[in-house]
Amino acid sequence: MNKKISIGTAIALIFLAIAASVAATCAVSMGLYNRLIPNLTNRSDMYNKLENLDSIVNEKYYYDIDGAARNNAMAGGYVAGLEDGESFYMSADEYVDYDSTIRGKSVGIGVDAAWSAESGGLLISEVYANSPAASSGLQAGDIITKVEDDAVTAANSEEKLEMLQGSRLASVKVSYLHGEEAEKSVSVAKGYTAQSVTYETLNNTGYIRITHFYQNTVTQMREALDQLAKQNILGLVIDVRDVADGDTQYAISTADLIVPLTEGSALVTAYDKNGEVYQTFASDASSVSYPMAVLVDGHTSGPGEIFAVTLRDFGAQLVGETTAGVGTMSQVFQLNDGSAVKLTVAVLKPYKSEQYDGTGLTPDVEAALTAEQHANLKLLPHDEDTQLQAALTYLNGTGTSQAGA
């Protein structure tokens, strides 16, 4: 039986519904307001501060203002103010170099070097395979004494190193010392396909060294694994000590060549600041099944760490020292003027292991190097490398033979 209601009751119900709707809207608006106000206040303070500073500079500053340089410095300072070592700003020119490098196209001559007070120049710790430096005769252990006929000093060593590694010049003149030989000079071109994976066989153990995780690292790693398999190796050591450069996705893709297909969950999952899934990284069926050790140290960071922990989740042993503890993922955003910013956007959760951001990965087999050995790691002979020897000893215990120096 239907019941009728009076017009007055109907009107009252309508007003109640409107009131409830308004109340709900106000509650949502208040929550949004409370979230926005701190940001609005902070932004207002920031804009007021910049406007005040700009007014003073324009009125009082004696010298002419380079607007582009000022704007780049301002943007760089903004990102530096985040106090996150993994986030940084790049000018348009710097971004071009960065993008080229991350794709595996190096813009330098192909050397790793650092100021050596003892030698009085830039000590070359590594010359990359197939690089212009290698073609020009430069070798690890050589001392670069001059760049563009300007003597290298402690004060200008960083500037001179940038001339070797950046794209500011198409080629660069280098003077260097090789052993006891007289100083030589050579003009070295810039630009080449970076070789981030090298490999060799130590008796019946494969040894792969990775220096960066770039776009072409996956292809180079596949080639290394294929060639080592033809040599019937019984175990594998992968060295990611000092590895912090590159991109997370390329590190995970490289690890995916080694680990088996995962079931039920992603190989790696990235979570944003709200705890929501930012990105997942799936695995494929390709894998290898050797007893395996991964060399790590305190400079193994970011891409190097996610590579190492992914392999450990599938049975590899970490050998060396506790890693840097950068378990985050970064992403590059290009700005309207061609510049770009690289920002930390998520934290990484490995397949099995706990998140390690801020704590690092503790090795399964601890082995230390001296400070001097660390400083000269790339020049360290295999038989003096206690971490490599510890890894070989571990593999020997799994059934492989001890590899030689």
Side-chain angles (χ1 to χ4, degrees), residues 115-183:
W115 168 255
S116 169
E118 180 180 355
S119 304
L122 291 171
L123 172 63
I124 298 177
S125 57
E126 183 166 13
V127 176
Y128 290 103
N130 305 318
S131 69
S135 301
S136 298
L138 291 169
Q139 300 178 36
D142 289 350
I143 306 296
I144 295 176
T145 56
K146 297 176 184 175
V147 177
E148 291 293 302
D149 293 325
D150 191 13
V152 178
T153 65
N156 69 14
S157 59
E158 290 298 321
E159 175 190 348
K160 299 306 178 186
L161 186 59
E162 169 59 27
M163 293 175 67
L164 303 178
Q165 297 178 336
S167 63
R168 187 159 62 89
L169 301 171
S171 64
V172 61
K173 183 179 179 182
V174 173
S175 299
Y176 68 99
L177 297 173
H178 178 77
E180 299 299 321
E181 298 176 8
E183 184 179 73

Side-chain angles (χ1 to χ4, degrees), residues 4 16 18 34 37 45 73 86 88 120 137 144 164 170 175 191-192 204 218 284 331 353 360:
K4 296 181 179 179
L16 284 173
I18 293 172
N34 288 336
I37 281 300
D45 289 345
E86 303 306 308
F88 54 88
I144 295 176
L164 303 178
S175 299
Y192 66 101
N204 54 9
V218 180
D284 61 27
Q331 186 173 346
S353 297

Side-chain angles (χ1 to χ4, degrees), residues 42-288:
N42 289 338
R43 288 180 181 179
S44 178
D45 289 345
M46 177 181 69
Y47 295 147
N48 288 338
K49 190 179 188 71
L50 286 175
E51 184 179 9
N52 187 208
L53 176 61
D54 187 55
S55 176
I56 294 172
V57 170
N58 284 325
E59 181 180 354
K60 301 295 185 181
Y61 185 58
Y62 178 81
Y63 297 103
D64 292 335
I65 299 172
D66 183 334
R70 177 199 58 197
N71 292 343
N72 279 326
M74 184 169 61
Y78 181 98
V79 179
L82 302 177
E83 298 184 335
D84 172 23
E86 303 306 308
S87 297
F88 54 88
Y89 168 81
M90 296 169 275
S91 68
D93 289 341
E94 290 169 338
Y95 174 65
V96 170
D97 284 358
Y98 172 86
D99 186 60
S100 179
T101 298
I102 208 71
R103 294 177 187 276
K105 302 294 184 181
S106 177
V107 296
I109 66 171
V111 298
D112 276 346
W115 168 255
S116 169
E118 180 180 355
S119 304
L122 291 171
L123 172 63
I124 298 177
S125 57
E126 183 166 13
V127 176
Y128 290 103
N130 305 318
S131 69
S135 301
S136 298
L138 291 169
Q139 300 178 36
D142 289 350
I143 306 296
I144 295 176
T145 56
K146 297 176 184 175
V147 177
E148 291 293 302
D149 293 325
D150 191 13
V152 178
T153 65
N156 69 14
S157 59
E158 290 298 321
E159 175 190 348
K160 299 306 178 186
L161 186 59
E162 169 59 27
M163 293 175 67
L164 303 178
Q165 297 178 336
S167 63
R168 187 159 62 89
L169 301 171
S171 64
V172 61
K173 183 179 179 182
V174 173
S175 299
Y176 68 99
L177 297 173
H178 178 77
E180 299 299 321
E181 298 176 8
E183 184 179 73
K184 301 178 181 179
S185 294
V186 62
S187 182
V188 188
K190 289 185 177 181
Y192 66 101
T193 299
Q195 186 72 30
S196 55
V197 178
T198 56
Y199 62 93
E200 61 184 296
T201 303
L202 306 177
N203 288 345
N204 54 9
T205 300
Y207 172 70
I208 295 177
R209 180 168 173 269
I210 301 174
T211 55
H212 316 87
F213 285 101
Y214 295 155
Q215 190 176 60
N216 60 354
T217 301
V218 180
T219 302
Q220 293 176 10
M221 186 67 165
R222 185 182 291 111
E223 172 69 14
L225 293 170
D226 289 346
Q227 292 302 316
L228 289 172
K230 294 177 182 178
Q231 299 178 43
N232 299 315
I233 61 171
L234 300 178
L236 186 61
V237 176
I238 303 179
D239 191 347
V240 290
R241 291 174 295 180
D242 276 356
V243 176
D245 192 19
D247 190 276
T248 298
Q249 65 172 325
Y250 302 141
I252 297 171
S253 296
T254 304
D256 189 30
L257 295 174
I258 300 169
V259 303
L261 181 67
T262 59
E263 296 182 4
S265 64
L267 188 60
V268 177
T269 304
Y271 293 92
D272 66 17
K273 63 182 179 181
N274 298 317
E276 301 293 331
V277 174
Y278 189 85
Q279 187 173 351
T280 58
F281 299 88
S283 65
D284 61 27
S286 64
S287 65
V288 299

